[in-house]
């Protein structure tokens, strides 16, 4: 440490007189180092890679990028999962539709594992992840397998997972069938958890918009009608409990808290697509025939509960919990946190304080979940990693960050927050260190498994959903280079074709402010709607049209607004090349299909199609039909784990045209050989064994995946600790101080960090010696805690604000030790003595601080019985000003 860094520290102590100087040793050059944020040689499944700033960087080097690699593995694992048929199950489907337990061998072989009745309770969440993930995966790729998977999953729920017609909640989803036999009909004595019903309902509605399957829409409408009719209308009460059948639940603590956001999103989706009122049954049940907008009323009641009851209690542990199905879950959990933050950001007119509220709730998760010493939630190589809650799940510091990266990325975009964007970027890079080509996913941060060796839902469907959502918000960092993808849309994409001249797609609807975001391998020459013709290029999206942000290498980010226009075509000089049927080498019997003349079909076992190309990406194009069959794929002579299934359900009413049956990217740019072998077999639901082939598309366009480096906030970050207010505190110079949540305190497994370490009640005694007493009236305290501040490259100052009064002076056993970036800067600090008395403001200032692994980490330790503590911290660029005058108003 440069001796100059201690200058302001020394001055700060001098203002307290000789007693202050005796109370602390201020450390300069040669200070001892202490441990804070961790840096490991490897994470999850791969050796660590760092950028020039020491921040975690991708291990994967393909030009499609690490997130695209990982979501491909997730999708392929779902596509190749083994099936089960009657009589072993009530209907034919991939095993994961009925059974959430699995084993995957190092070579990728998947084996379903026996499952007890209780463990079948994850069916609802598993189905929600599968449906939601496949809706977004179809938009992103155009892969017809997504439609097949969502159909099998949705039909199984409605065929085998509903209550009987004479049940108090008739024909309602048994979302947690712990009393139902796996592979059989769900038992209504299982738990019917309402937030999980709503989570499935949202995904089912979106799947309906892709396929047009009216049965799914009718089921979802009925679930919404029941939820609206059965809400509690008592003033001040929660509109819903947690369960439809609390009498069948093992615990008595059955209140609904933050899980209400799942219901709100479900109601919003129903309202969006035209169902705002009650069905006949619910009208009779409610006895209020006038409530034809009952879903709108229920939505509004839920919003009021979130706004007026839950948000004022944002620091309470169970406010954002009670969603996991296998325990009462009275602690902040990552899924409720994600949905709550996203909901506020999606509805800023309803939640005008969304910038502070979403940020507070999201960052509180770091603090709440890092209490367990055995879990080790903390910042690793500059990236936060934490478990699902303070009660689970050991060293699986993987799927919590993978999920929360989504709303943090959204916050980064919506709030134009360098903090949100960078925290999300780092978290998702670290989380995607888990994957192997084979589908094995190591979720233990030390390598190996905690959850993913047993629970398929988390290993892949959950990962697919969250990675697609992260790419949606951060396409510059995580979108594949030199490829075309619709990464985000406010409407559901019903049909998409990625062709050699661009992208053509159609959304289910196009209400006001319908906006799509595409990452393209070209700059558009034209964007046209199927109504009104060409859309204009614009500087903003105040009206219909499109904007273009060029990226290096010829790529671009294109945003399109198309209110009232369902069909959109984006054309330009896309780099894909095409080989039609006549250019392929084939063997065996191939005949003309009943579709366009360039399509051929075969159901002959051993019939082949081959094509050699020079490039880094290839797509085998064909058709998906109700009589579609199976084929194997070989790439460069190696049989691929995932093959081709040309089956598309007859209930899918959308004509999809030529579609990618197999796709592989991230290849070394060079010569490759692709081969398809017809198996003469089909999945159990197909009407035939035919394989339909159109041709091959490939590309040799080169680019570099750029996940970013050197990002993060470089302006002042001010944190007031222990402050449970929802709005930032403004100091006398106009600086804003947010609630301090980004710190790690090890209180023990299951401990509540807020109850155990926050001073949320302000001091009754006035704070002297400052123009900003409010900054010194709260605080955080523990024997050992570390504040991790995410920053960009540069030089910073740290201003640490203290006011003693709750801690005796002199502290029993000695004063506190403070280390910044692993170097001690103060030892045996007695704040009261240094400040000249209790309840007097005292600032410690250090300059010329450079980030360590993208962080400024400040560690506080107490060797004695009294706790270390701090009231507020400012980390800002450049010098921090003199510490001679205490509390200089947040300079």
């Amino acid at each position: 440490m440069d001796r100059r860094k201690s200058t302001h520290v020394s001055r700060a102590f001098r203002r307290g007189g000789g007693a202050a100087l005796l109370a602390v040793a201020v450390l300069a050059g040669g200070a001892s180092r202490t441990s804070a944020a961790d840096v490991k040689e490897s994470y999850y499944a791969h050796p660590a890679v760092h950028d020039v700033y020491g921040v975690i960087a991708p291990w994967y080097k393909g030009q499609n990028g690490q997130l695209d690699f990982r979501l491909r593995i997730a999708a392929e694992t779902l596509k190749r999962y083994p099936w089960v048929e009657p009589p072993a199950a009530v209907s034919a489907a991939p095993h994961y539709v009925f059974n959430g337990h699995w084993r995957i061998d190092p070579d990728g072989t998947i084996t379903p594992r026996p499952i007890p009745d209780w463990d079948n309770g994850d069916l609802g969440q598993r189905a929600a992840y599968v449906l939601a993930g496949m809706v977004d995966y179809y938009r992103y790729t155009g892969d017809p397998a997504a439609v097949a998977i969502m159909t099998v999953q949705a039909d199984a729920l409605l065929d085998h997972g509903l209550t009987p017609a004479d049940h108090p909640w008739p024909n309602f989803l048994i979302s947690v069938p712990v009393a139902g036999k796996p592979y059989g009909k769900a038992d209504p004595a299982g738990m019917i958890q309402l937030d999980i019903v709503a989570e499935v309902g949202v995904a089912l509605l979106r799947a309906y918009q892709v396929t047009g399957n009216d049965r799914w829409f009718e089921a979802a409408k009925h679930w919404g009608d029941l939820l609206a009719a059965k809400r509690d209308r008592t003033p001040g009460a929660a509109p819903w409990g947690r369960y439809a059948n609390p009498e069948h639940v093992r615990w008595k603590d059955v209140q609904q808290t933050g899980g209400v956001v799942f219901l709100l999103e479900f109601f919003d989706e129903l309202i969006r697509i035209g169902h705002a009122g009650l069905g006949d049954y619910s009208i009779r049940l409610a006895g209020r025939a006038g409530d034809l907008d009952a879903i709108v009323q229920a939505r509004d009641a839920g919003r009021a509960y979130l706004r007026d009851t839950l948000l004022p209690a944002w620091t309470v542990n169970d406010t954002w919990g009670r969603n996991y199905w296998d325990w009462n879950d009275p602690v902040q959990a990552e899924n409720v946190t994600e949905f709550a933050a996203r909901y506020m950001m999606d509805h800023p007119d309803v939640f005008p304080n969304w910038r502070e509220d979403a940020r507070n709730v999201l960052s509180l998760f770091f603090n709440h979940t890092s209490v367990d010493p055995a879990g080790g939630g903390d910042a690793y190589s500059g990236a936060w990693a934490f478990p699902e809650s303070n009660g689970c799940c050991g060293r699986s510091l993987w799927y919590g960050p993978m999920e929360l990266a989504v709303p943090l990325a959204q916050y980064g975009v919506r709030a134009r927050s360098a903090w949100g964007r960078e925290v999300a970027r780092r978290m998702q890079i670290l989380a995607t260190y888990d994957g192997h080509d084979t589908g094995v996913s190591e979720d233990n941060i030390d390598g190996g498994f905690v959850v993913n060796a047993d629970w398929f839902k988390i290993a892949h469907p959950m990962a697919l959903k969250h990675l697609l959502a992260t790419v949606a918000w951060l396409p510059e960092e995580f979108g594949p280079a030199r490829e075309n993808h619709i990464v985000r849309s406010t409407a559901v994409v019903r049909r998409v074709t990625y062709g050699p001249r661009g992208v053509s797609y159609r959304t289910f609807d196009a209400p006001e402010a319908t906006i799509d975001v595409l990452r393209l391998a070209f700059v558009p020459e034209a964007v046209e709607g199927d109504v009104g013709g060409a859309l204009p290029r614009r500087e903003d999206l105040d009206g219909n049209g499109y904007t273009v942000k060029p990226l290096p290498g010829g790529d671009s980010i294109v945003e399109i607004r198309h209110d009232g226009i369902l069909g959109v075509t984006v054309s330009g000089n896309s780099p894909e090349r095409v080989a039609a049927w006549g250019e392929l080498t084939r063997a065996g019997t191939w005949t003309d299909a009943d579709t366009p003349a360039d399509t051929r079909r075969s159901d002959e076992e051993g019939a082949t199609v081959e094509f050699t190309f020079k490039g880094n990406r290839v797509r085998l194009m064909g058709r998906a039909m109700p009589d579609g069959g199976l084929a194997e794929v070989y790439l460069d002579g190696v049989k691929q784990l995932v093959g081709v299934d040309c089956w598309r359900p007859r209930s899918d009413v959308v004509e999809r045209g030529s579609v990618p049956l197999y796709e592989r990217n991230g290849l070394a740019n060079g010569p490759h050989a692709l081969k398809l072998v017809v198996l003469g077999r089909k999945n159990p639901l197909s009407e035939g064994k035919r394989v339909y082939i159109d041709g091959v598309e490939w590309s040799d366009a080169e680019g570099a995946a750029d996940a970013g480096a050197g990002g993060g906030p470089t302006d002042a970050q001010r944190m007031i600790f222990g402050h449970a207010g929802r709005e930032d505190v403004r100091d006398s110079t106009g600086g804003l101080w947010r609630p301090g949540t980004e710190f790690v305190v090890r209180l023990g497994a299951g401990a509540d960090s807020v109850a155990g370490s926050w001073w949320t009640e302000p001091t009754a005694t006035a704070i002297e010696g400052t123009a900003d007493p409010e900054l010194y009236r709260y605080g955080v305290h523990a024997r050992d805690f570390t504040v991790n501040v995410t920053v960009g490259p540069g030089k910073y100052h740290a201003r640490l604000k203290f006011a003693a009064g709750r801690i005796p002076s002199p502290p029993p056993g000695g004063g506190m030790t403070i280390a910044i970036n692993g170097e001690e800067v103060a030892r045996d600090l007695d704040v009261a003595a240094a400040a000249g008395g209790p309840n007097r403001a005292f600032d410690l200032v250090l300059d010329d601080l450079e980030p360590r692994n993208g962080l400024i980490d400040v560690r506080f330790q107490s060797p004695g019985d009294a706790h270390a503590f701090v009231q507020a911290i400012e980390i800002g660029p450049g010098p921090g000003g003199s510490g001679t005058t205490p509390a200089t108003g947040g300079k």
Side-chain angles (χ1 to χ4, degrees), residues 272-492:
R272 171 191 170 88
I273 58 178
H275 184 70
L278 291 171
D280 291 340
Y281 172 83
S282 296
I283 291 174
R284 294 196 305 271
L285 183 67
R288 288 179 290 273
D291 284 354
L292 297 180
D293 61 346
I295 288 178
V296 175
Q297 295 179 34
R299 188 272 313 274
D300 291 346
R303 285 178 170 179
Y305 177 58
L306 173 58
R307 182 184 61 242
D308 302 334
T309 300
L310 297 179
L311 279 171
W314 70 275
T315 61
V316 178
N317 215 345
D318 77 338
T319 296
W320 313 113
R322 302 186 183 279
N323 176 258
Y324 272 101
W325 60 270
D326 52 351
W327 65 308
N328 60 346
D329 193 22
V331 295
Q332 186 172 7
E334 96 280 353
N335 36 28
V336 180
T337 301
E338 180 217 344
F339 269 71
R342 283 198 300 102
Y343 195 81
M344 289 185 283
M345 288 186 281
D346 287 343
H347 301 281
D349 54 329
V350 182
F351 301 95
N353 197 52
W354 67 269
R355 285 177 177 83
E356 290 80 12
D357 286 331
R359 180 205 64 210
N360 292 345
V361 171
L362 287 167
S363 60
L364 178 65
F365 196 82
F366 307 166
N367 182 237
H368 260 152
T369 58
S370 297
V371 293
D372 185 359
D378 208 327
Y380 294 84
S381 296
W384 279 94
F386 36 75
E388 72 173 41
S389 71
N390 69 5
C392 185
C393 290
R395 299 284 287 177
S396 182
L397 309 182
W398 171 74
Y399 58 97
M402 186 172 277
E403 178 159 4
L404 287 195
V406 175
L408 282 163
Q410 182 177 354
Y411 186 82
V413 174
R414 292 282 193 234
R416 298 183 179 180
S417 167
W419 170 82
R421 192 176 193 115
E422 180 66 5
V423 171
R425 187 191 74 87
R426 296 182 190 183
M427 282 168 47
Q428 207 63 290
I429 289 173
L430 181 60
T432 48
Y433 266 63
D434 70 297
H436 295 271
D437 261 319
T438 58
V440 173
S441 167
E442 300 184 39
D443 67 304
N444 187 329
I445 196 166
D446 307 309
F449 308 95
V450 178
V451 175
N452 287 1
D454 300 311
W455 291 97
F456 174 70
K457 167 189 75 178
I458 296 174
H460 290 296
M462 189 178 189
L464 179 69
K465 176 178 182 287
H466 299 325
L467 294 179
L468 284 164
T470 307
V471 174
W473 290 106
L474 301 180
E476 292 179 48
E477 294 90 339
F478 295 136
R482 314 303 290 136
E483 297 184 22
N484 299 324
H485 297 278
I486 305 172
V487 297
R488 189 170 86 237
S489 177
T490 56
V492 172

Side-chain angles (χ1 to χ4, degrees), residues 130-337:
V130 170
L131 290 171
M134 284 297 140
V135 169
D136 290 348
Y137 181 68
Y138 175 73
R139 176 195 67 212
Y140 185 77
T141 64
D143 188 341
V147 176
I149 289 171
M150 67 179 79
T151 299
V152 176
Q153 179 68 78
D155 285 349
L157 285 178
L158 301 189
D159 288 341
H160 315 303
L162 304 184
T163 60
D166 59 354
H167 190 273
W169 292 66
N171 301 312
F172 199 67
L173 180 65
I174 305 166
S175 54
V176 186
V178 293
K181 296 293 183 185
Y183 295 97
K185 284 276 189 181
D187 188 332
M191 295 187 292
I192 304 175
Q193 190 171 323
L194 299 184
D195 53 353
I196 295 179
V197 172
E199 186 176 10
V200 177
V202 172
L204 188 64
L205 284 171
R206 291 174 62 81
Y208 151 71
Q209 292 171 69
V210 175
T211 69
N213 190 320
D214 287 330
R215 181 193 181 202
W216 304 350
F217 187 28
E218 293 302 316
K221 287 193 296 185
H222 175 67
W223 300 351
D225 290 342
L226 283 174
L227 287 166
K230 288 177 174 285
R231 70 179 170 93
D232 188 340
R233 298 169 185 251
T234 305
W240 296 271
R242 192 174 171 191
Y243 302 95
N245 57 343
E247 68 277 7
H248 291 304
V249 179
R250 295 186 180 184
W251 40 86
K252 301 301 181 184
D253 187 8
V254 294
Q255 68 193 73
Q256 179 79 261
T257 55
V260 71
V261 294
F262 294 93
L263 279 71
L264 298 182
E265 187 163 332
F266 181 40
F267 292 146
D268 280 339
E269 196 68 17
L270 283 168
I271 294 166
R272 171 191 170 88
I273 58 178
H275 184 70
L278 291 171
D280 291 340
Y281 172 83
S282 296
I283 291 174
R284 294 196 305 271
L285 183 67
R288 288 179 290 273
D291 284 354
L292 297 180
D293 61 346
I295 288 178
V296 175
Q297 295 179 34
R299 188 272 313 274
D300 291 346
R303 285 178 170 179
Y305 177 58
L306 173 58
R307 182 184 61 242
D308 302 334
T309 300
L310 297 179
L311 279 171
W314 70 275
T315 61
V316 178
N317 215 345
D318 77 338
T319 296
W320 313 113
R322 302 186 183 279
N323 176 258
Y324 272 101
W325 60 270
D326 52 351
W327 65 308
N328 60 346
D329 193 22
V331 295
Q332 186 172 7
E334 96 280 353
N335 36 28
V336 180
T337 301

Side-chain angles (χ1 to χ4, degrees), residues 636-654:
D636 298 333
V638 178
K639 180 183 174 182
Q640 301 296 286
L641 289 174
V642 66
V644 163
D645 189 343
C646 286
W647 176 65
R648 181 164 69 93
R650 193 170 290 279
S651 58
D652 176 24
V653 302
V654 179

Side-chain angles (χ1 to χ4, degrees), residues 502-631:
V503 183
S504 177
Y505 63 96
R506 188 174 184 85
T507 56
F508 175 81
D509 59 2
E512 183 179 1
T514 295
I515 295 176
D516 312 321
V517 180
L518 296 80
R519 174 157 177 162
L520 301 175
F522 60 97
V523 173
E525 296 173 357
V527 177
E528 297 181 289
D530 63 351
V531 175
L535 295 172
R537 183 166 175 173
R538 305 169 59 99
E539 294 299 318
D540 56 50
L541 290 181
D542 289 344
N544 281 359
Y546 69 99
T547 63
V548 178
K549 180 179 181 179
L551 299 178
D555 288 2
S556 65
I557 302 294
V558 177
E559 297 193 24
I560 303 170
R561 179 168 176 175
H562 55 104
D563 303 0
I565 300 170
L566 300 182
V568 176
T569 298
V570 185
S571 57
N573 188 24
S574 193
E576 288 83 9
R577 303 181 185 183
V578 177
W581 172 258
E583 300 173 68
L584 308 183
T585 302
R586 58 266 187 193
T589 302
W590 291 89
T591 60
D592 291 348
D594 298 328
T595 50
D598 57 348
T599 303
R600 301 297 187 275
R601 72 185 184 207
S602 178
D603 58 7
E604 178 184 288
E605 181 179 358
T608 63
V609 168
E610 298 183 61
F611 183 71
T612 58
F613 65 98
K614 184 178 181 180
N616 51 39
R617 177 174 180 247
V618 65
R619 304 199 317 163
L620 179 65
M621 305 300 293
R623 308 277 166 158
M625 296 290 182
D627 63 352
L630 303 174

